[in-house]
Structures are given as C-alpha cells and as structure tokens.
Short mmCIF file of all heavy atoms in Angstrom, two decimals:
data_model
loop_
_atom_site.label_atom_id
_atom_site.label_comp_id
_atom_site.label_asym_id
_atom_site.label_seq_id
_atom_site.Cartn_x
_atom_site.Cartn_y
_atom_site.Cartn_z
N MET E 1 36.10 16.89 -3.13
CA MET E 1 34.75 17.36 -2.65
C MET E 1 33.75 17.23 -3.73
O MET E 1 33.98 17.42 -4.90
CB MET E 1 34.93 18.85 -2.15
CG MET E 1 33.71 19.28 -1.50
SD MET E 1 34.08 20.91 -0.79
CE MET E 1 32.50 21.45 -0.41
N VAL E 2 32.52 16.83 -3.31
CA VAL E 2 31.43 16.62 -4.28
C VAL E 2 30.71 17.98 -4.49
O VAL E 2 30.41 18.70 -3.49
CB VAL E 2 30.40 15.58 -3.70
CG1 VAL E 2 29.31 15.35 -4.67
CG2 VAL E 2 31.19 14.24 -3.49
N SER E 3 30.48 18.30 -5.70
CA SER E 3 29.81 19.59 -6.04
C SER E 3 28.30 19.48 -5.70
O SER E 3 27.71 18.40 -5.75
CB SER E 3 30.08 19.94 -7.43
OG SER E 3 29.41 19.11 -8.32
N TRP E 4 27.70 20.56 -5.48
CA TRP E 4 26.27 20.65 -5.33
C TRP E 4 25.43 20.20 -6.53
O TRP E 4 24.41 19.67 -6.40
CB TRP E 4 25.83 22.10 -4.83
CG TRP E 4 26.23 22.37 -3.43
CD1 TRP E 4 27.24 23.24 -3.04
CD2 TRP E 4 25.64 21.91 -2.30
NE1 TRP E 4 27.34 23.31 -1.68
CE2 TRP E 4 26.37 22.46 -1.17
CE3 TRP E 4 24.63 20.94 -2.00
CZ2 TRP E 4 26.05 22.16 0.16
CZ3 TRP E 4 24.32 20.68 -0.70
CH2 TRP E 4 25.09 21.24 0.37
N LYS E 5 26.02 20.45 -7.65
CA LYS E 5 25.37 20.03 -8.91
C LYS E 5 25.21 18.48 -8.96
O LYS E 5 24.13 17.93 -9.28
CB LYS E 5 26.09 20.58 -10.08
CG LYS E 5 25.46 20.24 -11.43
CD LYS E 5 26.16 20.93 -12.60
CE LYS E 5 25.42 20.58 -13.94
NZ LYS E 5 26.13 21.25 -15.07
N LYS E 6 26.31 17.81 -8.54
CA LYS E 6 26.28 16.35 -8.55
C LYS E 6 25.28 15.80 -7.51
O LYS E 6 24.59 14.83 -7.73
CB LYS E 6 27.67 15.75 -8.32
CG LYS E 6 28.61 15.91 -9.49
CD LYS E 6 29.96 15.33 -9.25
CE LYS E 6 30.86 15.55 -10.46
NZ LYS E 6 32.19 14.95 -10.18
N ILE E 7 25.17 16.49 -6.39
CA ILE E 7 24.28 16.08 -5.32
C ILE E 7 22.86 16.25 -5.78
O ILE E 7 22.00 15.42 -5.64
CB ILE E 7 24.54 16.86 -4.08
CG1 ILE E 7 25.92 16.42 -3.48
CG2 ILE E 7 23.47 16.61 -3.03
CD1 ILE E 7 26.33 17.29 -2.31
N ARG E 8 22.60 17.35 -6.47
CA ARG E 8 21.24 17.66 -6.98
C ARG E 8 20.80 16.65 -8.04
O ARG E 8 19.69 16.13 -8.11
CB ARG E 8 21.12 19.06 -7.48
CG ARG E 8 20.93 20.11 -6.44
CD ARG E 8 20.66 21.48 -6.97
NE ARG E 8 21.93 22.03 -7.45
CZ ARG E 8 21.97 22.87 -8.42
NH1 ARG E 8 20.90 23.41 -9.01
NH2 ARG E 8 23.20 23.36 -8.82
N VAL E 9 21.77 16.37 -8.98
CA VAL E 9 21.51 15.34 -10.04
C VAL E 9 21.24 14.00 -9.45
O VAL E 9 20.29 13.31 -9.78
CB VAL E 9 22.62 15.33 -11.09
CG1 VAL E 9 22.48 14.20 -12.05
CG2 VAL E 9 22.71 16.61 -11.82
N GLY E 10 22.00 13.56 -8.48
CA GLY E 10 21.83 12.31 -7.83
C GLY E 10 20.51 12.21 -7.06
O GLY E 10 19.82 11.21 -7.11
N THR E 11 20.15 13.32 -6.45
CA THR E 11 18.88 13.37 -5.64
C THR E 11 17.74 13.22 -6.66
O THR E 11 16.78 12.57 -6.39
CB THR E 11 18.81 14.61 -4.85
OG1 THR E 11 19.94 14.67 -4.02
CG2 THR E 11 17.53 14.68 -3.97
N ALA E 12 17.85 13.99 -7.83
CA ALA E 12 16.73 13.84 -8.77
C ALA E 12 16.58 12.45 -9.32
O ALA E 12 15.48 11.98 -9.56
CB ALA E 12 17.04 14.90 -9.87
N LEU E 13 17.71 11.79 -9.60
CA LEU E 13 17.70 10.39 -10.10
C LEU E 13 17.00 9.49 -9.06
O LEU E 13 16.19 8.60 -9.42
CB LEU E 13 19.06 9.92 -10.48
CG LEU E 13 19.69 10.49 -11.71
CD1 LEU E 13 21.12 10.05 -11.94
CD2 LEU E 13 18.87 10.14 -12.97
N VAL E 14 17.39 9.57 -7.85
CA VAL E 14 16.81 8.78 -6.75
C VAL E 14 15.32 9.03 -6.67
O VAL E 14 14.48 8.14 -6.55
CB VAL E 14 17.57 9.02 -5.45
CG1 VAL E 14 16.73 8.26 -4.28
CG2 VAL E 14 18.95 8.44 -5.50
N ALA E 15 14.95 10.32 -6.78
CA ALA E 15 13.53 10.68 -6.59
C ALA E 15 12.73 10.10 -7.80
O ALA E 15 11.64 9.55 -7.61
CB ALA E 15 13.34 12.15 -6.55
N ALA E 16 13.30 10.19 -9.03
CA ALA E 16 12.64 9.70 -10.15
C ALA E 16 12.45 8.17 -10.10
O ALA E 16 11.44 7.60 -10.43
CB ALA E 16 13.35 10.09 -11.49
N THR E 17 13.49 7.50 -9.65
CA THR E 17 13.42 6.04 -9.53
C THR E 17 12.37 5.65 -8.48
O THR E 17 11.58 4.70 -8.77
CB THR E 17 14.74 5.48 -9.12
OG1 THR E 17 15.77 5.91 -10.10
CG2 THR E 17 14.81 3.97 -8.97
N LEU E 18 12.38 6.26 -7.30
CA LEU E 18 11.32 5.97 -6.29
C LEU E 18 9.94 6.23 -6.81
O LEU E 18 8.99 5.54 -6.51
CB LEU E 18 11.66 6.68 -5.04
CG LEU E 18 12.94 6.27 -4.36
CD1 LEU E 18 13.16 7.08 -3.13
CD2 LEU E 18 12.84 4.81 -3.90
N THR E 19 9.74 7.35 -7.54
CA THR E 19 8.44 7.72 -8.08
C THR E 19 7.97 6.63 -9.06
O THR E 19 6.83 6.23 -9.01
CB THR E 19 8.49 9.12 -8.75
OG1 THR E 19 8.95 10.09 -7.81
CG2 THR E 19 7.13 9.52 -9.21
N THR E 20 8.85 6.27 -9.93
CA THR E 20 8.50 5.29 -10.91
C THR E 20 8.17 3.93 -10.24
O THR E 20 7.15 3.26 -10.61
CB THR E 20 9.62 5.02 -11.96
OG1 THR E 20 10.00 6.30 -12.56
CG2 THR E 20 9.27 4.02 -13.08
N ALA E 21 8.84 3.57 -9.25
CA ALA E 21 8.65 2.31 -8.53
C ALA E 21 7.24 2.38 -7.82
O ALA E 21 6.52 1.41 -7.85
CB ALA E 21 9.73 2.01 -7.59
N ALA E 22 7.05 3.56 -7.27
CA ALA E 22 5.75 3.69 -6.53
C ALA E 22 4.52 3.67 -7.44
O ALA E 22 3.57 3.00 -7.23
CB ALA E 22 5.74 5.01 -5.78
N VAL E 23 4.67 4.29 -8.66
CA VAL E 23 3.57 4.30 -9.66
C VAL E 23 3.32 2.86 -10.15
O VAL E 23 2.21 2.44 -10.27
CB VAL E 23 3.92 5.25 -10.81
CG1 VAL E 23 2.89 5.03 -11.96
CG2 VAL E 23 3.85 6.64 -10.35
N LEU E 24 4.42 2.13 -10.46
CA LEU E 24 4.28 0.77 -10.99
C LEU E 24 3.66 -0.20 -9.88
O LEU E 24 2.97 -1.11 -10.20
CB LEU E 24 5.62 0.24 -11.43
CG LEU E 24 6.14 0.86 -12.73
CD1 LEU E 24 7.54 0.30 -13.05
CD2 LEU E 24 5.21 0.70 -13.85
N ALA E 25 4.00 0.03 -8.60
CA ALA E 25 3.45 -0.76 -7.55
C ALA E 25 1.94 -0.48 -7.32
O ALA E 25 1.22 -1.44 -6.97
CB ALA E 25 4.26 -0.52 -6.27
N VAL E 26 1.58 0.79 -7.50
CA VAL E 26 0.16 1.12 -7.29
C VAL E 26 -0.74 0.76 -8.43
O VAL E 26 -1.93 0.38 -8.24
CB VAL E 26 0.00 2.57 -6.89
CG1 VAL E 26 -1.41 3.04 -6.72
CG2 VAL E 26 0.72 2.85 -5.54
N ALA E 27 -0.22 0.88 -9.61
CA ALA E 27 -1.01 0.69 -10.87
C ALA E 27 -1.45 -0.76 -10.89
O ALA E 27 -0.68 -1.74 -10.76
CB ALA E 27 -0.18 1.04 -12.16
N PRO E 28 -2.77 -1.01 -11.17
CA PRO E 28 -3.27 -2.34 -11.30
C PRO E 28 -2.82 -3.03 -12.59
O PRO E 28 -2.65 -2.33 -13.59
CB PRO E 28 -4.80 -2.21 -11.32
CG PRO E 28 -5.04 -0.82 -11.76
CD PRO E 28 -3.85 -0.02 -11.38
N ALA E 29 -2.60 -4.28 -12.53
CA ALA E 29 -2.16 -5.04 -13.70
C ALA E 29 -3.38 -5.21 -14.56
O ALA E 29 -4.49 -5.63 -14.14
CB ALA E 29 -1.59 -6.39 -13.35
N HIS E 30 -3.24 -4.93 -15.89
CA HIS E 30 -4.39 -5.08 -16.77
C HIS E 30 -4.51 -6.58 -17.13
O HIS E 30 -3.54 -7.20 -17.56
CB HIS E 30 -4.11 -4.28 -18.03
CG HIS E 30 -4.11 -2.78 -17.79
ND1 HIS E 30 -5.21 -2.11 -17.49
CD2 HIS E 30 -3.08 -1.92 -17.79
CE1 HIS E 30 -4.89 -0.78 -17.27
NE2 HIS E 30 -3.54 -0.67 -17.39
N PRO E 31 -5.71 -7.12 -17.07
CA PRO E 31 -5.87 -8.53 -17.40
C PRO E 31 -5.78 -8.71 -18.91
O PRO E 31 -6.18 -7.79 -19.66
CB PRO E 31 -7.31 -8.86 -16.92
CG PRO E 31 -7.98 -7.50 -16.87
CD PRO E 31 -7.00 -6.49 -16.51
N VAL E 32 -5.36 -9.80 -19.34
CA VAL E 32 -5.24 -10.12 -20.75
C VAL E 32 -6.62 -10.37 -21.31
O VAL E 32 -7.44 -11.08 -20.69
CB VAL E 32 -4.34 -11.29 -21.00
CG1 VAL E 32 -4.27 -11.67 -22.45
CG2 VAL E 32 -2.97 -11.01 -20.43
N ALA E 33 -6.91 -9.76 -22.43
CA ALA E 33 -8.26 -9.97 -23.04
C ALA E 33 -8.41 -11.35 -23.50
O ALA E 33 -7.51 -11.97 -24.02
CB ALA E 33 -8.46 -9.02 -24.19
N PRO E 34 -9.63 -11.95 -23.32
CA PRO E 34 -9.83 -13.33 -23.86
C PRO E 34 -9.84 -13.32 -25.32
O PRO E 34 -10.14 -12.35 -25.99
CB PRO E 34 -11.24 -13.66 -23.31
CG PRO E 34 -11.89 -12.40 -23.08
CD PRO E 34 -10.83 -11.43 -22.66
N PRO E 35 -9.43 -14.47 -25.97
CA PRO E 35 -9.46 -14.45 -27.39
C PRO E 35 -10.77 -14.33 -28.00
O PRO E 35 -11.84 -14.73 -27.39
CB PRO E 35 -8.84 -15.84 -27.76
CG PRO E 35 -9.05 -16.64 -26.50
CD PRO E 35 -9.06 -15.70 -25.37
N ALA E 36 -10.87 -13.65 -29.17
CA ALA E 36 -12.20 -13.38 -29.77
C ALA E 36 -12.77 -14.77 -30.29
O ALA E 36 -12.07 -15.57 -30.91
CB ALA E 36 -11.99 -12.41 -30.86
N ARG E 37 -14.08 -14.88 -30.03
CA ARG E 37 -14.72 -16.11 -30.57
C ARG E 37 -15.16 -15.84 -31.97
O ARG E 37 -15.59 -14.77 -32.31
CB ARG E 37 -15.90 -16.35 -29.69
CG ARG E 37 -15.54 -16.92 -28.28
CD ARG E 37 -16.73 -17.32 -27.51
NE ARG E 37 -16.82 -16.40 -26.35
CZ ARG E 37 -17.91 -15.97 -25.78
NH1 ARG E 37 -19.04 -16.57 -26.12
NH2 ARG E 37 -17.92 -15.17 -24.79
N PRO E 38 -15.23 -16.81 -32.79
CA PRO E 38 -15.67 -16.64 -34.19
C PRO E 38 -17.18 -16.41 -34.21
O PRO E 38 -18.00 -16.94 -33.37
CB PRO E 38 -15.33 -17.99 -34.88
CG PRO E 38 -15.17 -19.01 -33.85
CD PRO E 38 -14.72 -18.21 -32.61
N THR E 39 -17.59 -15.53 -35.04
CA THR E 39 -19.01 -15.20 -35.11
C THR E 39 -19.72 -16.25 -36.01
O THR E 39 -19.13 -16.94 -36.80
CB THR E 39 -19.23 -13.81 -35.75
OG1 THR E 39 -18.64 -13.78 -37.08
CG2 THR E 39 -18.62 -12.72 -34.90
N SER E 40 -21.03 -16.37 -35.79
CA SER E 40 -21.75 -17.31 -36.52
C SER E 40 -21.99 -16.81 -38.03
O SER E 40 -22.21 -17.64 -38.90
CB SER E 40 -23.11 -17.61 -35.83
OG SER E 40 -23.88 -16.33 -35.81
N GLU E 41 -22.06 -15.53 -38.23
CA GLU E 41 -22.26 -15.04 -39.58
C GLU E 41 -20.94 -14.69 -40.23
O GLU E 41 -20.04 -14.15 -39.66
CB GLU E 41 -23.11 -13.70 -39.46
CG GLU E 41 -24.47 -13.85 -38.85
CD GLU E 41 -25.19 -12.55 -38.68
OE1 GLU E 41 -24.67 -11.60 -39.25
OE2 GLU E 41 -26.28 -12.54 -38.10
N PRO E 42 -20.84 -15.03 -41.53
CA PRO E 42 -19.63 -14.75 -42.21
C PRO E 42 -19.52 -13.24 -42.46
O PRO E 42 -20.43 -12.52 -42.59
CB PRO E 42 -19.75 -15.50 -43.56
CG PRO E 42 -21.18 -15.68 -43.71
CD PRO E 42 -21.75 -15.77 -42.36
N VAL E 43 -18.26 -12.72 -42.51
CA VAL E 43 -18.02 -11.36 -42.74
C VAL E 43 -18.20 -11.09 -44.23
O VAL E 43 -17.56 -11.80 -45.09
CB VAL E 43 -16.69 -10.95 -42.24
CG1 VAL E 43 -16.36 -9.51 -42.62
CG2 VAL E 43 -16.56 -11.20 -40.80
N LYS E 44 -19.02 -10.13 -44.63
CA LYS E 44 -19.21 -9.76 -46.01
C LYS E 44 -18.24 -8.66 -46.37
O LYS E 44 -18.19 -7.63 -45.79
CB LYS E 44 -20.66 -9.29 -46.19
CG LYS E 44 -21.65 -10.37 -46.02
CD LYS E 44 -23.04 -9.84 -46.22
CE LYS E 44 -24.08 -10.91 -45.89
NZ LYS E 44 -25.47 -10.40 -46.07
N LEU E 45 -17.45 -8.92 -47.40
CA LEU E 45 -16.38 -7.96 -47.87
C LEU E 45 -17.00 -7.22 -49.03
O LEU E 45 -17.58 -7.81 -49.97
CB LEU E 45 -15.13 -8.63 -48.28
CG LEU E 45 -14.40 -9.49 -47.20
CD1 LEU E 45 -13.23 -10.22 -47.80
CD2 LEU E 45 -13.99 -8.56 -46.09
N THR E 46 -16.79 -5.89 -48.98
CA THR E 46 -17.27 -5.07 -50.04
C THR E 46 -16.19 -4.93 -51.12
O THR E 46 -14.98 -4.93 -50.75
CB THR E 46 -17.69 -3.64 -49.58
OG1 THR E 46 -16.62 -3.06 -48.96
CG2 THR E 46 -18.82 -3.78 -48.60
N PRO E 47 -16.49 -4.79 -52.40
CA PRO E 47 -15.46 -4.56 -53.44
C PRO E 47 -14.73 -3.22 -53.15
O PRO E 47 -15.38 -2.27 -52.60
CB PRO E 47 -16.22 -4.57 -54.69
CG PRO E 47 -17.62 -4.26 -54.38
CD PRO E 47 -17.84 -4.71 -53.00
N PRO E 48 -13.48 -3.10 -53.51
CA PRO E 48 -12.80 -1.89 -53.36
C PRO E 48 -13.44 -0.79 -54.12
O PRO E 48 -13.94 -0.98 -55.25
CB PRO E 48 -11.35 -2.12 -53.79
CG PRO E 48 -11.49 -3.35 -54.69
CD PRO E 48 -12.63 -4.10 -54.22
N LEU E 49 -13.42 0.42 -53.65
CA LEU E 49 -14.04 1.57 -54.25
C LEU E 49 -13.13 2.08 -55.39
O LEU E 49 -11.92 2.17 -55.24
CB LEU E 49 -14.28 2.74 -53.24
CG LEU E 49 -15.18 2.34 -52.10
CD1 LEU E 49 -15.28 3.54 -51.11
CD2 LEU E 49 -16.60 2.05 -52.61
N MET E 50 -13.77 2.38 -56.47
CA MET E 50 -13.03 2.82 -57.66
C MET E 50 -13.05 4.36 -57.67
O MET E 50 -14.09 4.94 -57.46
CB MET E 50 -13.72 2.32 -58.98
CG MET E 50 -13.61 0.85 -59.10
SD MET E 50 -11.96 0.25 -59.49
CE MET E 50 -11.77 0.80 -61.11
N PRO E 51 -11.85 4.92 -57.88
CA PRO E 51 -11.90 6.42 -58.06
C PRO E 51 -12.66 6.85 -59.25
O PRO E 51 -12.86 6.12 -60.25
CB PRO E 51 -10.50 6.78 -58.13
CG PRO E 51 -9.74 5.55 -58.60
CD PRO E 51 -10.56 4.37 -58.08
N ALA E 52 -13.17 8.11 -59.26
CA ALA E 52 -13.98 8.56 -60.34
C ALA E 52 -13.19 8.66 -61.66
O ALA E 52 -13.79 8.49 -62.76
CB ALA E 52 -14.48 10.04 -60.01
N GLU E 53 -11.88 8.82 -61.60
CA GLU E 53 -11.12 8.99 -62.82
C GLU E 53 -10.23 7.72 -62.97
O GLU E 53 -9.04 7.79 -63.30
CB GLU E 53 -10.28 10.22 -62.75
CG GLU E 53 -11.03 11.46 -62.63
CD GLU E 53 -10.21 12.66 -62.35
OE1 GLU E 53 -9.00 12.52 -62.10
OE2 GLU E 53 -10.70 13.82 -62.39
N ALA E 54 -10.79 6.56 -62.88
CA ALA E 54 -10.02 5.32 -62.95
C ALA E 54 -9.42 5.05 -64.29
O ALA E 54 -8.36 4.55 -64.38
CB ALA E 54 -10.94 4.15 -62.48
N GLY E 55 -10.14 5.42 -65.40
CA GLY E 55 -9.66 5.13 -66.66
C GLY E 55 -8.72 6.12 -67.27
O GLY E 55 -8.03 5.88 -68.29
N LYS E 56 -8.56 7.29 -66.61
CA LYS E 56 -7.72 8.33 -67.15
C LYS E 56 -6.28 8.13 -66.72
O LYS E 56 -6.02 7.67 -65.69
CB LYS E 56 -8.22 9.70 -66.61
CG LYS E 56 -9.56 10.09 -67.10
CD LYS E 56 -9.99 11.40 -66.58
CE LYS E 56 -11.37 11.78 -66.93
NZ LYS E 56 -11.84 13.11 -66.41
N PRO E 57 -5.29 8.47 -67.59
CA PRO E 57 -3.94 8.34 -67.22
C PRO E 57 -3.57 9.42 -66.17
O PRO E 57 -4.18 10.47 -66.10
CB PRO E 57 -3.19 8.54 -68.53
CG PRO E 57 -4.11 9.38 -69.34
CD PRO E 57 -5.49 8.96 -68.98
N LEU E 58 -2.54 9.14 -65.42
CA LEU E 58 -2.16 10.09 -64.41
C LEU E 58 -1.41 11.27 -65.05
O LEU E 58 -0.80 11.10 -66.11
CB LEU E 58 -1.12 9.41 -63.44
CG LEU E 58 -1.62 8.28 -62.64
CD1 LEU E 58 -0.51 7.60 -61.81
CD2 LEU E 58 -2.65 8.77 -61.65
N PRO E 59 -1.65 12.46 -64.54
CA PRO E 59 -0.97 13.64 -65.14
C PRO E 59 0.58 13.55 -64.91
O PRO E 59 0.99 13.03 -63.90
CB PRO E 59 -1.58 14.79 -64.33
CG PRO E 59 -2.05 14.19 -63.05
CD PRO E 59 -2.45 12.78 -63.37
N LYS E 60 1.24 14.08 -65.92
CA LYS E 60 2.68 14.13 -65.83
C LYS E 60 3.12 15.31 -64.96
O LYS E 60 2.64 16.39 -65.13
CB LYS E 60 3.33 14.21 -67.19
CG LYS E 60 3.15 13.05 -68.04
CD LYS E 60 3.78 13.13 -69.40
CE LYS E 60 3.51 11.94 -70.25
NZ LYS E 60 4.11 12.07 -71.56
N THR E 61 4.01 15.00 -63.97
CA THR E 61 4.49 16.05 -63.15
C THR E 61 5.93 16.40 -63.59
O THR E 61 6.68 15.61 -63.99
CB THR E 61 4.50 15.66 -61.69
OG1 THR E 61 5.31 14.48 -61.53
CG2 THR E 61 3.13 15.34 -61.18
N ILE E 62 6.19 17.69 -63.50
CA ILE E 62 7.52 18.20 -63.90
C ILE E 62 8.25 18.54 -62.58
O ILE E 62 7.82 19.36 -61.85
CB ILE E 62 7.43 19.38 -64.89
CG1 ILE E 62 6.67 19.02 -66.12
CG2 ILE E 62 8.79 19.92 -65.13
CD1 ILE E 62 6.37 20.25 -66.99
N LEU E 63 9.33 17.87 -62.38
CA LEU E 63 10.21 18.12 -61.23
C LEU E 63 11.21 19.27 -61.55
O LEU E 63 11.92 19.08 -62.52
CB LEU E 63 10.90 16.92 -60.70
CG LEU E 63 9.98 15.71 -60.25
CD1 LEU E 63 10.81 14.54 -59.83
CD2 LEU E 63 9.07 16.17 -59.08
N THR E 64 11.22 20.33 -60.79
CA THR E 64 12.22 21.36 -61.06
C THR E 64 13.27 21.36 -60.07
O THR E 64 13.20 20.91 -58.96
CB THR E 64 11.54 22.74 -61.05
OG1 THR E 64 10.89 22.93 -59.81
CG2 THR E 64 10.51 22.86 -62.18
#
C-alpha cells in the first residue's frame, strides 16, 4: 500500500513541474542584444591612482 506521505510528495513534484513548465511557456524570450559598434572617439585611459603612502613599507603584522 502507498503511504499518504509518498502521495503528497509525488503530488508536490507534479505541481512544481507543471508550474515551471507554465512559467517558461508564458515568459517571453529575451532577444539577443546586437553587438556593440565601435565608437568614433578613442577611449582615454587614466593612470592608476597611487595610494597616499606609496613609498612607505608595509607594516609588519604579527600572527598569534
């Protein structure tokens, strides 16, 4: 004899499967974005920012 727990688990799985299928069927497919066209102006890169204490050595840490 099949237990009520197995029936409830099977019913939940069927409901989840049908819900997922319905959501995927209703959801519109997202169109693929067109490739980006190159810009006419070159991109200007800024130099990396230097930290205020660039010349100082790093402090020694003591691991306990």
Side-chain angles (χ1 to χ4, degrees):
M1 186 171 169
V2 180
S3 67
W4 286 106
K5 185 176 181 180
K6 289 182 181 179
I7 293 173
R8 281 188 283 155
V9 170
T11 305
L13 287 174
V14 170
T17 304
L18 293 176
T19 304
T20 305
V23 168
L24 292 177
V26 172
H30 295 289
V32 178
R37 288 184 248 154
T39 59
S40 59
E41 298 177 7
V43 177
K44 296 179 182 178
L45 300 176
T46 59
L49 300 175
M50 295 288 290
E53 302 173 349
K56 297 182 183 178
L58 294 175
K60 293 183 181 179
T61 58
I62 301 172
L63 300 177
T64 57

